[in-house]
């Protein structure tokens, strides 16, 4: 695996590869590093479906709010490189902030509507940062396919819509959430949890499992489902709910009828959660239908 920190050198290498492999496909896995098995699964999938796999590791300041964890976001470049190599990445792109933003960016990619709820409501400006950096990375790498984990299902919906609206020639490939044996979704932020918080954090996945059972009940509606989930999460004394939402997916609209909640009738429903344990905000979701 080759590592690049310079956009110019990465582009040069990609140009050479494309010249030598005119029919070859480029798969891309954008990340913010501190990689875990979830990222490895995206890299392995890309490896299986493309001739060349590029991984980026860049902690993007633009998607963090002023009081968020940009400075303390966990970083481990050597471990990241080892995981990328093991999972089968061919090129690792690890630019610094000056390389990606040599000037204060005055051009941004904003996706409306999908970004004013869920994490967009709790983290104003977050998705403007995501849209902008992903769009820049797509222009740099020019992948045929890009792989994103569904733990950030709203991010997947936003990026799919951005790619569609802007006619970007890339296929967005949503991939399943990878979990710990006890069900906690893998996240780079899990390292912040104390032992007690970690133990209680399983309540997110448990609540989503319960939601699946409750959704099967005839007559359940979105408000009733939400209430039950909130009450279930309340069993974990350290959990502080940021949001619990039941919406259509990928439009992220309130479901307009009880029937829409019933699986297998054409509409998909997302149950999305964001819960804080101390200063650590965890998200999880399940998509039904
Ligand atoms: O999901 C992430 O790690 C980031 O939001 C992404 C897509 C790499 C953009 O910085």
């Amino acid at each position: 695996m080759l590592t690049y920190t310079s956009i110019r050198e990465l582009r040069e290498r990609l140009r050479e590869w494309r010249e030598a492999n005119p029919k070859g496909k480029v798969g891309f896995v954008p990340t913010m590093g501190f990689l875990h098995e979830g990222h490895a699964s995206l890299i392995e999938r890309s490896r299986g479906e493309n001739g060349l796999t590029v991984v980026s590791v860049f902690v993007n300041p633009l998607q963090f709010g002023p009081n968020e964890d940009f400075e303390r976001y966990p970083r481990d470049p050597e471990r990241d490189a080892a995981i990328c190599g093991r999972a089968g990445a061919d090129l690792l792109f690890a630019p610094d902030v000056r390389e990606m933003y040599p000037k204060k960016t005055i051009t941004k990619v904003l996706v409306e509507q999908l970004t004013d709820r869920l994490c967009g409501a709790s983290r104003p400006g977050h998705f403007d940062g995501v849209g902008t950096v992903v769009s820049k990375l797509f222009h740099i790498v020019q992948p045929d396919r890009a792989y994103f984990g569904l733990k950030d299902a709203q991010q997947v919906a936003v990026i799919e819509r951005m790619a569609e609206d802007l006619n970007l020639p890339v296929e967005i490939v949503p991939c399943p959430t990878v979990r710990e044996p006890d069900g906690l979704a893998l996240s780079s932020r899990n390292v912040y949890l104390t032992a007690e918080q970690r133990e209680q954090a399983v309540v997110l996945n448990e609540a989503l499992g319960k939601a699946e059972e409750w959704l099967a009940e005839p007559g359940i509606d979105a408000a009733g489902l939400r209430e039950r989930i909130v009450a279930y999460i309340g069993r974990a004394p350290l959990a502080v709910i940021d949001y619990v939402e039941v919406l259509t997916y990928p439009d992220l609209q309130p479901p307009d009828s009880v029937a829409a909640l019933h699986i297998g009738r054409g509409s998909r429903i997302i149950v999305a959660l964001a819960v804080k344990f101390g200063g650590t905000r965890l998200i999880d979701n399940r998509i039904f239908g």
Side-chain angles (χ1 to χ4, degrees):
M1 187 183 71
L2 296 170
T3 301
Y4 294 87
T5 54
S6 139
I7 296 172
R8 191 184 52 74
E9 286 170 16
L10 175 73
R11 278 190 165 145
E12 182 56 21
R13 176 68 199 114
L14 284 163
R15 192 188 56 73
E16 284 167 8
W17 188 84
R18 287 194 173 96
E19 262 175 32
N21 302 273
K23 292 200 174 141
K25 300 283 183 211
V26 175
F28 178 42
V29 182
T31 80
M32 295 206 303
F34 212 70
L35 304 182
H36 50 65
E37 281 310 307
H39 298 108
S41 74
L42 306 180
I43 300 168
E44 283 159 10
R45 175 135 179 215
S46 171
R47 170 89 185 171
E49 295 178 354
N50 302 282
L52 187 87
T53 290
V54 184
V55 179
S56 65
V57 170
F58 177 62
V59 185
N60 171 37
L62 221 59
Q63 69 189 71
F64 289 79
N67 298 318
E68 291 184 358
D69 56 346
F70 173 68
E71 294 297 343
R72 72 172 190 126
Y73 193 83
R75 292 162 170 88
D76 191 341
E78 277 167 28
R79 197 169 138 270
D80 286 347
I83 292 175
C84 286
R86 246 196 335 267
D90 299 292
L91 307 181
L92 172 59
F93 177 49
D96 64 13
V97 174
R98 258 175 316 163
E99 182 69 4
M100 287 297 282
Y101 300 112
K103 295 178 185 164
K104 180 180 179 312
T105 187
I106 55 172
T107 307
K108 289 191 183 167
V109 177
L110 314 186
V111 178
E112 295 176 340
Q113 292 177 32
L114 300 179
T115 55
D116 61 9
R117 56 208 58 190
L118 303 176
C119 291
S122 313
R123 304 181 66 189
H126 168 69
F127 285 111
D128 304 347
V130 171
T132 303
V133 81
V134 170
S135 159
K136 278 167 76 77
L137 290 165
F138 282 177
H139 282 98
I140 293 165
V141 176
Q142 302 189 1
D144 296 286
R145 300 190 182 98
Y147 296 79
F148 293 89
L150 274 167
K151 183 174 77 69
D152 296 308
Q154 184 179 17
Q155 173 169 278
V156 172
V158 167
I159 291 170
E160 278 180 333
R161 186 58 189 262
M162 173 185 85
E164 190 183 338
D165 283 352
L166 298 180
N167 300 94
L168 302 182
V170 55
E171 180 192 340
I172 307 301
V173 185
C175 301
T177 302
V178 178
R179 297 178 181 279
E180 299 279 8
D182 66 2
L184 179 68
L186 295 191
S187 162
S188 304
R189 290 189 168 100
N190 290 351
V191 290
Y192 298 150
L193 297 170
T194 64
E196 208 184 348
Q197 290 167 345
R198 169 65 188 82
E199 210 173 292
Q200 293 189 21
V202 293
V203 77
L204 273 75
N205 182 52
E206 285 174 4
L208 292 168
K210 283 285 177 194
E212 182 161 11
E213 283 173 29
W214 294 327
L215 254 174
E217 289 178 16
I220 187 94
D221 64 11
L225 181 63
R226 196 185 160 279
E227 257 171 47
R228 289 196 208 178
I229 297 169
V230 168
Y232 192 91
I233 295 173
R235 292 167 166 217
L238 299 177
V240 178
I241 293 177
D242 178 3
Y243 64 71
V244 171
E245 295 282 354
V246 179
L247 299 170
T248 59
Y249 191 82
D251 306 333
L252 307 182
Q253 296 299 314
D256 55 14
S257 73
V258 174
L261 277 175
H262 285 163
I263 304 168
R265 296 208 188 150
S267 40
R268 280 189 291 165
I269 295 290
I270 183 167
V271 176
L273 318 174
V275 177
K276 279 190 173 170
F277 290 87
T280 307
R281 184 174 167 282
L282 302 180
I283 58 171
D284 203 349
N285 70 77
R286 205 162 293 186
I287 297 171
F288 302 98

